[in-house]
Amino acid sequence: MQVEVRGLDAGYGPVPVLTGLDLTIPSGALAAVLGQSGSGKTTLLRALAGFLRPTAGTIHFGERLVVGPGTFVPPEKRKVGIVPQEGALFPHLDVTDNVAFGLPRGSQARVDEVLDLVGMRDFAHARPHDLSGGQQQRIALARALAPEPDVVLLDEPFTALDANLRQRLRAEVRDVLREVGTTAILVTHDQEEALSTADLVAVMRDGRLVQVGTPLEVYDAPADLGVARFVGEAVELPARAVGGDLVACPLGDVPVRGAVQGEAVVILRPEQLVLSCPVAVTDAQDTPQPGRGVVREASYHGHDSLVRVELADGSVVPVRVPGGTPPPLPGDEVVVGVTGSGRVYPV
Ligand code: ADP
């Protein structure tokens, strides 16, 4: 079911948190609302769930108006399922009773169905304290899905889990949500989680959505410098337009997408940078080779190494060197080249 938010204002007391917020989530999509702490993600979630009464704007679930002038559908009538951060299960009830909670009597078949869906049927009679954090979150998802909600809201549901489990569980949750086809909204401050899990990423800053797009769009074509810095690691260099689609920057002349004039900032991603050995001789004017620099730090991560190179102008750029190649050592002279194109923004 499509979720449509138009011109939404919401806050606590006189100070608004969300102002004029617009968001459309197509039916069946998983949208991530991504933003730093305090940007207003939870406030949006609460407005969608019905725990907070917006002061202006509308929210539609499909054709149904749930928030609007003179309309405020209470949480229990919204057909919304919620997966909170953690600790959502009743400790004194077993898994079956937790999932059946709030369902009409005689819903055992539905409980079995959702437990199958999340791969937890074997744990039907376990108590929450016998389950791992990841298993508990799967039960929380099963419980949210059991009443066949129109919309599922997930409030940082993986935060309390360790890194490996988090990755696995978010893929599982995404697959389950795809299978049932329920429209879902995931609130997260973790850009990697948003990019890897969602169909649509809505980047929130100071109570506004600054960009809504596919993971590829927000990573590859950030709407502004703030989004570029927040979504993934950004290599940020001073640049100057030199005609055509080129800017001059400390890495030499780099092709860019986006219009630019005069002074600007160019953004590249670390995986666009490649290291090579410096050529011994520079040209007749003794102009330094563009991109030439000195390795200041190299950290090994198995799948790759992150090498920080200080360029001639003092800028330090991170470069990812694929695993399997020994990374250069601090003090080594290198040349940083660029593949693909950058994005430019006004200063
Ligand atoms: P996020 O979920 O992105 O961390 P929140 O929606 O929780 O952000 O908070 C947005 C802003 O609203 C913050 O400035 C926060 O201090 C404020 N805020 C959140 N909850 C309340 C509340 N219950 N009363 C007053 N202000 C609040």
Side-chain angles (χ1 to χ4, degrees):
M1 187 162 293
Q2 173 171 295
V3 173
E4 186 166 286
V5 178
R6 284 284 163 269
L8 197 74
D9 290 357
Y12 310 89
V15 186
V17 173
L18 307 180
T19 42
L21 191 135
D22 295 325
L23 177 64
T24 303
I25 302 167
S27 181
L30 168 57
V33 177
L34 172 68
Q36 274 160 353
S37 174
S39 58
K41 305 181 297 292
T42 310
T43 304
L44 174 59
L45 206 75
R46 300 184 72 212
L48 288 165
F51 300 141
L52 180 72
R53 194 183 277 264
T55 48
T58 59
I59 301 177
H60 279 89
F61 290 168
E63 297 289 305
R64 194 157 64 106
L65 180 73
V66 294
V67 171
T71 302
F72 182 78
V73 176
E76 66 279 8
K77 298 247 168 69
R78 285 208 186 176
K79 298 197 74 186
V80 160
I82 298 175
V83 182
Q85 282 190 9
E86 60 173 328
L89 304 179
F90 300 113
H92 57 288
L93 298 182
D94 70 6
V95 162
T96 294
D97 289 345
N98 261 286
V99 174
F101 192 86
L103 292 182
R105 272 175 192 281
S107 301
Q108 189 57 47
R110 178 63 185 156
V111 173
D112 292 346
E113 195 180 350
V114 287
L115 287 180
D116 270 338
L117 193 66
V118 299
M120 290 294 289
R121 182 81 175 267
D122 292 347
F123 295 85
H125 301 295
R127 298 267 170 162
H129 61 77
D130 295 324
L131 303 176
S132 69
Q135 289 172 328
Q136 290 187 29
Q137 286 307 74
R138 287 203 241 165
I139 301 302
L141 177 65
R143 189 173 66 181
L145 290 172
E148 299 185 64
D150 289 341
V151 179
V152 175
L153 304 176
L154 303 112
D155 183 7
E156 307 247 10
F158 313 115
T159 309
L161 309 174
D162 68 53
N164 263 342
L165 184 59
R166 194 156 64 215
Q167 257 182 16
R168 221 173 48 228
L169 194 69
R170 61 196 184 208
E172 277 176 31
V173 166
R174 185 196 55 210
D175 293 348
V176 168
L177 289 169
R178 283 219 176 115
E179 196 177 329
V180 293
T182 310
T183 309
I185 300 165
L186 165 74
V187 158
T188 180
H189 64 273
D190 180 337
Q191 48 89 16
E192 191 194 317
E193 182 164 300
L195 294 180
S196 64
T197 315
D199 303 305
L200 194 70
V201 179
V203 186
M204 187 173 261
R205 189 195 306 144
D206 298 334
R208 292 173 190 275
L209 292 178
V210 283
Q211 185 168 8
V212 181
T214 62
L216 183 70
E217 283 164 352
V218 297
Y219 185 74
D220 200 41
D224 62 26
L225 212 45
V227 176
R229 287 175 184 151
F230 182 54
V231 180
E233 191 166 3
V235 180
E236 194 175 320
L237 293 167
R240 186 172 37 81
V242 289
D245 294 330
L246 286 181
V247 294
C249 75
L251 296 175
D253 288 354
V254 169
V256 290
R257 286 166 296 163
V260 64
Q261 286 184 329
E263 301 298 312
V265 171
V266 62
I267 294 281
L268 297 157
R269 298 298 186 186
E271 61 275 15
Q272 285 185 265
L273 304 186
V274 277
L275 288 188
S276 57
C277 296
V279 186
V281 187
T282 55
D283 67 21
Q285 283 83 39
D286 207 23
T287 316
Q289 196 178 355
R292 191 163 177 152
V294 178
V295 172
R296 288 291 171 228
E297 199 185 314
S299 52
Y300 181 68
H301 300 279
H303 45 72
D304 62 15
S305 298
L306 190 66
V307 179
R308 294 193 185 276
V309 179
E310 185 175 339
L311 303 173
D313 74 331
S315 325
V316 176
V317 292
V319 183
R320 288 199 188 286
V321 177
T325 350
L329 301 172
D332 283 358
E333 294 226 345
V334 289
V335 173
V336 182
V338 177
T339 59
S341 52
R343 284 269 161 188
V344 275
Y345 300 91
V347 263

